[in-house]
Amino acid sequence: MGARKEFTYPSSDGAHQVHAVLWLPERGEARGVVQLVHGISEYILRYDPFARYLTEHGFAVTGNDHLGHGQTAKDPSEYGYFNDWWNLVHDVRALWLKTKESYPQAPYFLLGHSMGSFVARTYLIDYPGSLTGAILSGTGQEPAALVSLGKLVTGVGDPRKVNKLFAAFSLGAYNKQFKPNRTSADWICRDERVVDAYLADSLCNFLPKAGMNHAMMSGLQYVGSRKNLERMDRDLPVYFFAGDKDPVGAGGQGVKKVAGWFREAGVKDVTVKLYPGGRHEMLNETNREEVFADTLAWIEKHLG
């Protein structure tokens, strides 16, 4: 089993030390690097099984806890709060710069899940030409009018408190699609053990604050702009994967919509994989071994 190293680096907000992890390949030189960008209300070490799978196949893997998440948060009062979308993007970029120092010639892939996929999509616009490939898990895009409304709603009141209206129409609405509900997180995946562990984990079981939702709506507006999308590297291969029952991706339709935007912006190599019956966290789903293998196969195909 490859070594796992944890470290910190300064956040772009100037007030935090970002917690990050590097998983080393089990043997020899790294065939490539995969940088992971986690989703909302979780943290990077939830990706340990997938990261170790990649290290078994010769890859170095890295990733960080976002502001307001995991060990980057100074204490539980910070869980679910940040107020600037680009702080997350800049922290991902800072980890890329740090990792490239150790692996200057290695093929480099960025994998973002859920909110992390929105961060990754922002990164693709702001830093074209810096990657070998991009992988977007559990992505989607609400209609522009709904995003604007969400930004308006979350801009009212205390940004450090949960906006109950927004929560009801986002995470709450996701779970209603799986009635009768066993838990409040049935929408995550079909594996009940994963769902129960998520709900029992204090680093996951919190609601995003209004300030974070407001910032994320700004990010969604940015990545939904045709003008911005046209700044992406058109030669960058991009792999979308999701469950066809994932509410974030509108049962796959939102995933197809975003992939279509990429193609319209001139991106030449766009692949979409939808898993029948899969929910939001395909890397934790009941068929995760299949998902791991498919993702690895796509990466290996694009090593160059």
Side-chain angles (χ1 to χ4, degrees):
M1 184 177 293
R4 188 181 79 188
K5 299 181 178 180
E6 298 184 48
F7 59 96
T8 62
Y9 61 93
S11 171
S12 63
D13 78 340
H16 291 82
Q17 288 293 311
V18 176
H19 171 256
V21 184
L22 173 64
W23 291 264
L24 297 171
E26 285 202 359
R27 64 191 72 84
E29 294 292 320
R31 301 171 65 198
V33 178
V34 180
Q35 183 173 340
L36 306 174
V37 190
H38 74 75
I40 209 166
S41 300
E42 60 162 353
Y43 55 101
I44 200 62
L45 283 174
R46 287 191 77 227
Y47 293 75
D48 187 71
F50 178 60
R52 291 195 182 279
Y53 173 84
L54 292 176
T55 65
E56 290 170 3
H57 291 85
F59 290 87
V61 183
T62 193
N64 66 279
D65 290 338
H66 298 308
L67 292 168
H69 292 79
Q71 296 180 56
T72 298
K74 294 176 181 177
D75 58 66
S77 69
E78 291 193 348
Y79 292 163
Y81 176 76
F82 57 79
N83 62 4
D84 188 329
W85 182 249
W86 273 265
N87 282 335
L88 270 63
V89 181
H90 294 158
D91 288 347
V92 167
R93 176 64 173 180
L95 181 57
W96 180 91
L97 290 167
K98 187 175 184 65
T99 308
K100 285 293 284 185
E101 291 178 0
S102 299
Y103 302 95
Q105 303 302 322
Y108 203 110
F109 298 84
L110 188 67
L111 187 159
H113 169 69
S114 192
M115 181 182 75
S117 77
F118 308 150
V119 174
R121 285 161 57 188
T122 308
Y123 186 98
L124 299 187
I125 294 167
D126 289 355
Y127 301 104
S130 62
L131 299 169
T132 306
I135 304 164
L136 301 172
S137 160
T139 202
Q141 185 82 21
E142 296 290 352
L146 200 56
V147 173
S148 296
L149 179 60
K151 188 174 180 179
L152 182 66
V153 168
T154 54
V156 176
D158 189 342
R160 292 183 177 272
K161 291 185 177 180
V162 173
N163 185 299
K164 294 181 180 179
L165 179 63
F166 187 90
F169 282 96
S170 56
L171 302 183
Y174 295 159
N175 212 46
K176 287 180 180 178
Q177 297 183 34
F178 300 97
K179 285 186 173 182
N181 297 129
R182 187 181 70 89
T183 74
S184 61
D186 292 356
W187 65 281
I188 289 176
C189 72
R190 294 167 291 182
D191 190 326
E192 294 184 357
R193 293 171 299 176
V194 171
V195 172
D196 291 343
Y198 175 89
L199 291 171
D201 192 334
S202 63
L203 294 180
C204 294
N205 195 9
F206 60 85
L207 290 172
K209 307 293 198 307
M212 192 185 92
N213 290 136
H214 186 74
M216 185 166 64
M217 293 303 103
S218 296
L220 281 170
Q221 288 179 328
Y222 188 79
V223 300
S225 162
R226 174 63 184 263
K227 182 179 179 181
N228 290 337
L229 288 168
E230 290 178 347
R231 291 163 48 196
M232 294 189 300
D233 178 1
R234 297 182 180 189
D235 293 322
L236 181 76
V238 183
Y239 177 45
F240 292 80
F241 71 86
D244 73 356
K245 295 292 186 280
D246 180 3
V248 174
Q253 295 309 305
V255 182
K256 292 177 181 177
K257 177 170 73 173
V258 177
W261 287 354
F262 275 53
R263 294 186 180 109
E264 290 169 7
V267 179
K268 301 170 187 175
D269 184 348
V270 178
T271 303
V272 178
K273 173 79 174 183
L274 297 177
Y275 292 92
R279 300 183 185 180
H280 186 52
E281 293 187 349
M282 286 311 308
L283 292 174
N284 286 323
E285 261 291 5
T286 51
N287 62 324
R288 52 187 166 268
E289 291 180 0
E290 175 191 7
V291 179
F292 284 16
D294 289 346
T295 307
L296 173 65
W298 185 90
I299 292 170
E300 290 182 328
K301 180 181 177 182
H302 293 90
L303 279 173

